């Protein structure tokens, strides 16, 4: 499903994801927000190596520990539209994998995968992962726009994309947002152009599961301390009721008050 910020709501996005597995929202970020996020990410990419395996992409650069390195996605991560979608689909959640992904010229298409497959959960299970992709360049088929298998979030266990799956290429202008469920088969596209393609994923997971990145170690405490409380919660300073995640018997937020 494809919509615009002005025409949508968390409820509509959650319904669209239930139906197709993904929703593209155009004009989610202002051109100024895109320009400043892009400039800051490009600064970081200068010192970021290419991937170490085919999944990361040998011609792709990934900025991990995003919230340790840039402030340009703080407000996006806690944007009311984003949190509204997550409230509907996951209930209680935290950030899992926030990553800048720059697919370089010559990169091959990434293997199709489901983000939630890192968790060995029995099927069927409730939604545990929601991802969002924030393109900072226009995404098109030639430069490596994300490839999706629409409806594949409804496939039962054991079914995988065949050799010639029905693919939707998530072509979208910079400043869009794409929400997709953790059980939707998808992957980065091949980049056959001369220019890199930059996007940021903010992946969220139910807060009773371990996030992919350990933010408590990745984001220095001095940095975390200065962040909005909601973002601190999303970075692991949270409790899944009644007490999963406590520190020395207390809310993990208290750890931010102590020494480094
Ligand atoms: O960069 C993209 O378009 C998607 C990347 C992706 O799905 C991943 O690395 O898990």
């Amino acid at each position: 499903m494809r919509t615009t910020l002005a025409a949508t709501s968390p409820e509509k996005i959650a319904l669209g994801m239930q139906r197709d597995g993904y929703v593209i929202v155009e004009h989610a970020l202002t051109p100024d927000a895109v320009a400043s996020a892009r400039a800051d990410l490009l600064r970081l990419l200068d010192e970021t190596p290419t991937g170490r395996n085919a999944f990361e992409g040998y011609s792709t650069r990934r900025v991990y520990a995003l919230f340790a390195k840039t402030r340009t996605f703080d407000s996006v991560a806690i944007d009311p539209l984003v949190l509204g979608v997550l409230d509907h689909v996951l209930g209680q959640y935290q950030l899992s994998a926030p990553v800048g992904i720059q697919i370089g010229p010559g990169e091959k298409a990434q293997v199709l995968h489901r983000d939630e497959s890192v968790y060995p959960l029995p099927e069927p299970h409730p939604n545990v992962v929601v991802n969002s992709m924030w393109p900072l360049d226009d995404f098109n088929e030639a430069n490596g726009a994300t490839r999706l298998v629409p409806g594949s979030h409804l496939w039962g266990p054991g079914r995988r994309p065949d050799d010639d799956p029905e693919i939707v290429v998530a072509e979208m202008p910079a400043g869009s947002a794409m929400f997709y469920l953790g059980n939707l088969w998808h992957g980065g596209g091949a980049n056959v152009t001369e220019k890199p393609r930059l996007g940021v994923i903010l992946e969220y997971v139910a807060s009773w599961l371990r996030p992919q990145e350990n933010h408590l170690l990745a984001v220095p405490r001095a940095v975390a301390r200065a962040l909005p409380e909601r973002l601190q919660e999303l970075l692991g300073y949270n409790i899944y009721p009644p007490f999963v995640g406590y520190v020395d018997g207390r809310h993990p937020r208290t750890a931010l008050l102590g020494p480094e």
Side-chain angles (χ1 to χ4, degrees), residues 29 33 67 72-80 82-83 132 134 202 204:
L29 295 181
F67 290 95
T72 53
F73 272 84
D74 290 4
S75 55
V76 177
I78 55 173
D79 182 272
V82 175
L83 300 186
S132 61
W134 301 83
L202 297 181
Y204 298 81

Side-chain angles (χ1 to χ4, degrees), residues 147-198:
R147 304 159 75 231
L148 315 161
V149 185
S152 59
H153 62 302
L154 301 174
W155 294 358
R159 180 166 170 199
R160 306 176 61 86
D162 57 24
D163 291 342
D164 189 18
E166 184 202 336
I167 296 276
V168 164
V169 178
E171 296 199 318
M172 50 186 167
S176 304
M178 178 171 73
F179 296 90
Y180 51 108
L181 290 173
N183 54 3
L184 186 78
W185 288 88
H186 71 282
N191 187 344
V192 298
T193 72
E194 302 294 307
K195 290 189 183 155
R197 181 230 76 175
L198 179 58

Side-chain angles (χ1 to χ4, degrees), residues 111-246:
V111 65
L112 295 173
H113 60 279
R114 290 175 139 163
D115 288 332
E116 67 164 38
S117 67
V118 295
Y119 300 110
L121 292 171
E123 302 257 12
H125 55 256
N127 290 312
V128 289
V129 171
V130 168
N131 212 334
S132 61
M133 166 61 89
W134 301 83
L136 299 177
D137 288 316
D138 293 343
F139 274 24
N140 55 54
E141 181 157 18
N143 73 3
T146 315
R147 304 159 75 231
L148 315 161
V149 185
S152 59
H153 62 302
L154 301 174
W155 294 358
R159 180 166 170 199
R160 306 176 61 86
D162 57 24
D163 291 342
D164 189 18
E166 184 202 336
I167 296 276
V168 164
V169 178
E171 296 199 318
M172 50 186 167
S176 304
M178 178 171 73
F179 296 90
Y180 51 108
L181 290 173
N183 54 3
L184 186 78
W185 288 88
H186 71 282
N191 187 344
V192 298
T193 72
E194 302 294 307
K195 290 189 183 155
R197 181 230 76 175
L198 179 58
V200 167
I201 53 168
L202 297 181
E203 179 177 338
Y204 298 81
V205 66
S207 43
W208 51 272
L209 276 170
R210 196 170 176 205
Q212 281 192 38
E213 182 158 31
N214 188 332
H215 316 293
L216 299 178
L217 290 174
V219 182
R221 241 187 269 191
V223 173
R225 209 173 268 140
L227 298 177
E229 191 173 300
R230 191 69 184 100
L231 186 52
Q232 291 172 345
E233 288 169 359
L234 293 174
L235 289 170
Y237 297 90
N238 69 70
I239 288 284
Y240 179 77
F243 40 61
V244 176
Y246 69 80

Side-chain angles (χ1 to χ4, degrees), residues 96-112:
S96 177
V99 190
I101 303 179
Q102 188 191 52
I103 297 185
E107 184 60 78
K108 297 189 175 64
Q110 189 185 36
V111 65
L112 295 173

